Each structure stands twice: as structure tokens, then as C-alpha cells.
Amino acid sequence: MTGTAQQDGIADPIEELAGRLRLLQELSGRGVRALARDTGLSSSSLSRYLGGQTVPPWPAVVALCRLVARDPRPLRPLWERTANPLPAPPKASRQGRPRPRNDLPRDLPDFTGRGAQLDAVLAALDSHGAVALDGMAGVGKTSLAVHAAHRLAADYPDAQLYVDLHGFTEGRDPMDPGSALRMMLGALDVPSEKVPQDSLEELSACFRSELAGRKAVVLLDNAVDAAQVRPLLPGAGPSVVLVTSRNRLLGLDEVPPVSLDVLTAEESAELLARASGDPAGPDGRLAREPEHAAEVLRLCGRLPLALRLAAARLRHRPGWTVGILVERLAEGATEFDTAFAMSVRQLDRAQARLFRLLGLLPGGTFDEYLAAALANLPLRTTRAILEDLLDAHLVQQPTAGRYRLHDLVQQHARRAGAEQDSPAEQQRALGRLLDYYVHAAAAADAAMPFLVPGRAPTAGPAPAELPRFADKNAAFAWLAGEYENLIGAFEAASAVGADTHVLELPRYLRSYFARRCGTTHLNVLFERSVAAAERLGDPLQLAEARSDLGFARWNAGRLAEADAEYAAAAAPMSAAGDLRPAAELTMRRGYLSWDRGGTTEPLELFREAGRLYERSDCPSGAAHASAAQAWALLQLGHREEAAGLAREVLAVPHQDPAWPPTLTARITLGVATAEEHPEEAVAHLEHALELARADGHLNNQAWCLNCLGVAHRQAGRHEEALAHHREAFALLDELFEEHWKLRFLNGYAETCRLAGLTEDALRLHRQALDLAPRLGRRYEEAQAHEGLAALLAGTDPAAAEEHRTAAKALRADLGTGC
């Protein structure tokens, strides 16, 4: 709410909206629980909406209106005022942001038939925004859904999402709806901190809210039942969803079904001809042997998948007659087993072995490096075998360099492996897979250095060949593409008790999570990493794991828990005498001390960390410690000393211009020189912002923008200062990281005060005062009290005195004076 709005007597828009929602409740004649049940909302969330404590997402407002047959559109302006209390920030070009996501598998170039079914699918999407395709295994549900999704992609440009729900994947439980929602929210570039963790209901509401303003195609493949799908439906908005399942999803009354049967005889013959590359006319093999061709169609049951596998054999065996193909098909027991076994029998020993081992893969797609490590083969040999498997339709290639197995094919490969490979060989192959992912993640982590060089992995021997990363962006892209497999490998390591892999793998994902701002998941991984370290019984490994968990806790704003982990790590790490982990822990304790309101202690901890890094011959770590010292000195008011130390850090050579120590030093130098040399300061900060944008790190961009706001404010340019603060907070709203907002709320409020926006300044200080005690941030709490005391001195002297007294008590407790 702006100052002007209050002066004009306009009511608080949040309370006004809550009042309108309460009127809707009265019209419904329902209590909160009944209203929540009938609208699909949680009763706790609904209570907050009705009480004016929380602004509801727009789909929730729509659901309430629809329940009482009221048009929600008149409420939209009021809702927008509550959801956007500050003036909208200017839209800025952000380099490094991803393009709209397109996860759709490749459309089949020889897609055949299904004209009536395709029309039915498109009509259902047009009328209901959703459709469910059902039918038996291999009938072509996914192919039709993918074909339809590609037809729609141009009209739904914001995203094309694909999720395999693994409803009928042998050896794997169906994907739970929560995991599917998190995967899709990640694909929509929603930071994990914005993703609810407490309930499936809130997670589903978050997904519906994200899609409410987007035009996206969502393809949910291989669903097990209606209960798995229902939380994944987009809800109100322009997006459409396609679902495939082997079962009819009778529980989804709002989703029209389209059932698929086998292809017609004419469609089957056309598909067999096109997929086999058989020439049209009397000279083709199929035309010369019509009886045998008809028998192929019968043996394949006119199922598209079986037809394609049979056609692949015919296409790559020019010496075969169709009669030979029939003989091979007739050797099998069923259409699918016949097709799979026939294809596998055409492989040589090395090809068949790799095919069986691919049944062990824990994730979706894979590359040739993983396949080579799995089979312990040279990369060149593996690449050639994969091409053969691709030709035989036993492996698919959704994108260049990436492969996948259809779930039925992987099921056959897994069964064949269990029958033909000894348990010891399968165990060794799984061990090579786990070794590969730890070492490949370590290589990617080394290519995108976060702070100091990491420890080399000890979880098994490194494979002969690993992916090579030209720069940190290539490494980040690999980690993003392999994320599902990395988590699958982590889960597989947990399942078989490979504790060294469980311990080490999260350590090499820290840089990825720092760029992705994914603190929630990293906390979960390090919790399990600590448990693995406890089982291994190595005191230093356990201390490092606790230090990592403490850092993840600190990143998530959980300061007391971070302190406990650091305390548990300190003694065994000191006893081990390994200086680099000790230096890293000391740095982390410095960050924590500063956030908890320390003044001289953080500076001393940063200095001690610098000495430890120097003693361990780690110049990059020493530069990192010096940059932290410079920032701490600046916060204590020692501008000249801070600027001098920052210049020393900038003189340290490094190949990455956005390396964290140099970025910290450049920001420090910009703020330190803002009063005396405003133009030079702005140049430093704008350079830092350019580097942060190129790096794609949103937290660092927000930091730079807020510091630019302070620099412009100190130069008296209040409009420019406000514009930068607003852009920074727009980024922080995307990240949904309240503890990061708290770092800048009081500074933003001070800019508003000097710009004459008194009501905005009051609101921001009060927001800081609400957050700071909950997060244990006493320094920011004291600043908020001081800001409120200054703002209220002329209008409410008693309240101002209360804030002033509270600030003095906090300052005295912190030892910083007044």
C-alpha cells in the first residue's frame, strides 16, 4: 500500500480482498472445512486467505467464485493490487536466463494413421484443456500424444513439459505426484525455495499458480491411475495437458478419454512399409510376399512398437526375405517378447551385453560416457554399439548425444540381464555406474569453481573417459541435463549401501545448487551424507559432511541448525590437522556470525581463515578470505581499509571474471567509494552486475542491484536508486528466499525514506522487523527498530521511543553500541 493510497482514505487492499472472499463464503453457506473441500484448497490456507493474513493465488480466488457462480473478473484489479504492493519494476534483460523449456521427445517422422484419434485428442483439448489417452502396452499412446503436442507447440510457446510417471515400469515404483510436481516446477525455472515442502496440496497449488499465466503443453506419460494424475493437472489458465496410461482413468471425470486400439490392417501395412524402408510398387519385398507380410502384421498384433522393431530388422537385413522375418518372429512366445528377443538375437556378444546392462540405468536419458563406464568399454566402441542399438530400435535418441530406452525395452533388458549375467557382474556394473557419476560430477564441479578447489573423489576408480567441459557454462548444462540421473545414482547408492558415494556425490553438486539456488534439496542430500559418514566411521569425513550440512542450513536461513552442525564439526576437524577443511569451516562460521549480529568476531574469523589458507598453500582460498574481510570492514564503517583490501583481491589473477572473491571485492569497492567517487562506484557495481547476469546467478544479481541502489542514494539520485532496489526485489520474489530479502529490506527502506516515500519505508522496516526475529538476525532487527523510530518520531513519539529502546537493547546485547 502506497503512502498516497493511505492519505486518500483507500482501505488496505489485502483486508478489502479478504472481506470480499468472506462474502463469497457467506454466499456458499459452508464452513471453512467444507469450503476448502469443495474448492480443492487446504483449510489452513483458506483460513489465512479469509483472515487477510496471506494473499491467495489467483486460481484460489477463481475457485471460490465458481463455487457460488460468481464472475471472478471484477476481483482481478483488487487481487493485483494485493499481490503487487510496490510499483512494478522495469523489465530488464537478464542474460543467461533459460529459454522456454521444451522437453518433448522427438516426433516420429514416419508417424502413420490415427487421423480420427488425433482429431479427437485436439477436440478434447480445445473444449476441456485436457485429454487422457489409454490403451494396451505398445499401442502407440505416447507416439500419438507426442505428435499432438508437437502440433500444438507453436500455439503454446511458454513451455512444453514431458514427464514419464513410470506407472508400469518394472522394477521401479510409480513416480509420486510430489516428485513429478517438483520436476515440472524445476523445468519452469521455479527455484526450489519457492516450492512448498509441507503438503502435496500446496505443491499442486504452486504448480497451478505458475501455469495460470502461461500457455504451456504438459504431457504426463505412463500414468498408473487417476490419483497419481489429479494433483498434476494445471487448473485454471490457458495451458493444456495430455495424459497417457495403460488403464482407463475413470476417476478423472473432468478429463475426456480417448482410447486407442491396435492399428487397422491398412495402417499397420503402411507403417511396416514406411519403417522398413521398403520401396512402393511390385518390386518391394512386402509386395512380392503378401502372405508373409500379412503374417508379420498378425505376429506383431498390429501394435506399432512391435511393428517398428520388426521393420528395423527387415530394413537392416537387405538379404532377408519377408519369409525369414516371419520365421524369426514365430520363434517367440508373444508379440512383444518375439520382437524384443528377435532384435536382441541379431546383436553380437558385445552389443547384447551392453543392451542388458542398460537395464540397470536408474534415470531416463543417458549419454555415451555413461554407457562406456557401465560396460567398461572404450568410448569409441560404445558409440558404435549404441548406433547399432539405435538402428535396431532397442535404443531411442530423443536429442543429439542423448539416448533412452522405452520402458518396455528396458524391462526386457533388465529381465535378460537377470537371466544371463551373474549377480556379481551386475553388481560390478552398478558399481561402475556409481563411480562414473561421482567422478563426472567432480569434473563438472572443478570446471565451475565456486570458491576453492575441491577434494578429489575417493569413491571407486575413475572411468577411462569422462565428459570434458570447455567452461563453467558447459559444466552447468551437463549437471542440469544429468540431474535426474545424478539423483537416481544417489538413491541407488543409498539402496545398496555404497556409503562413500552417498557421502561424496552431494559435495560435487554444491556449485550447481549455488547457481540454481536449490537450498532445500541440498539440505536433504547432506542430511543423508552425514548419516553415510557416520556409518563409515571416519572422523574427518564426518566433520566435513557436518560442515557441508551446516553451510546448506545457513544458505536456507536456518542459522541455529547451522551453528549446531559447525560446532559438531569443529573439534574432530581441528584434531585431524587438515588445514583446508578447517579454513573452509572457519569462513562459514564467519558468515554465520555476521548474520547473527556479530561485528568484530566475523572479521577475526575471516582473518583466521585467511591464515589457514595461506598455511595450506591455497591462494584462491586466501583471496576468498580477504574479500570477506573487505566486506566486513565496509559494514563496520572502515571504508578506506575495505577499499584497499578489495583492490588487492582484484589484483589476484583468475580466469573466471565472475569468480566469487573478485565479484565480492568489486561490489565492496563500489559501495566503499560511493560517497567520494560516485561515478567510479557506479561503474564498479554495474560491472559486477554484468558479470552476475552473465553468470546466471540470481542472488548475486540481487546483491549487485541493491548495492547500486545504495550507491545512487548516497549520490542523491533517488529515482535511480529506487529503480535498482525494485528490480532487485523482483528477482528475490522469484527466488522466494526471505532470508536473502532481509539482507536488503532496511537499506531499501532508507532509500524510500530519503525519496519521500514514508509509507513504503514504514512497510519495509516492518517487514524486516517481522522476519528478523524468526530468522535469528538481531543486527537487522536492531536496524529495523532504528528506522521505525526515526520515521515515527514526528507522528507517534511513544511508538518511536519503544522502537528506540528496543534497538538500544539489541545493540547492547550485540556489543555494537548505539
Side-chain angles (χ1 to χ4, degrees), residues 717-787:
R717 296 191 287 259
H718 295 153
E719 288 304 316
E720 292 92 330
L722 287 169
H724 284 96
H725 283 304
R726 288 166 183 161
E727 187 179 351
F729 273 76
L731 284 176
L732 293 172
D733 284 338
E734 290 184 37
L735 297 174
F736 207 72
E737 290 191 342
E738 296 297 312
H739 56 288
W740 263 84
K741 282 187 178 180
L742 184 55
R743 300 172 191 267
F744 310 118
L745 279 168
N746 289 307
Y748 188 3
E750 176 65 7
T751 301
C752 289
R753 182 184 72 82
L754 292 174
L757 302 177
T758 304
E759 294 300 325
D760 285 341
L762 283 168
R763 178 181 51 76
L764 291 166
H765 278 312
R766 285 169 177 152
Q767 189 177 349
L769 192 57
D770 176 63
L771 285 172
R774 289 193 278 118
L775 295 173
R777 303 283 284 276
R778 294 179 296 168
Y779 180 75
E780 282 81 4
E781 186 179 355
Q783 282 189 313
H785 278 300
E786 290 165 351

Side-chain angles (χ1 to χ4, degrees), residues 657 663 666 682-692:
L663 193 67
R666 194 168 294 282
V682 167
H684 281 300
L685 292 167
E686 286 182 342
H687 187 191
L689 177 60
E690 179 184 351
L691 294 174

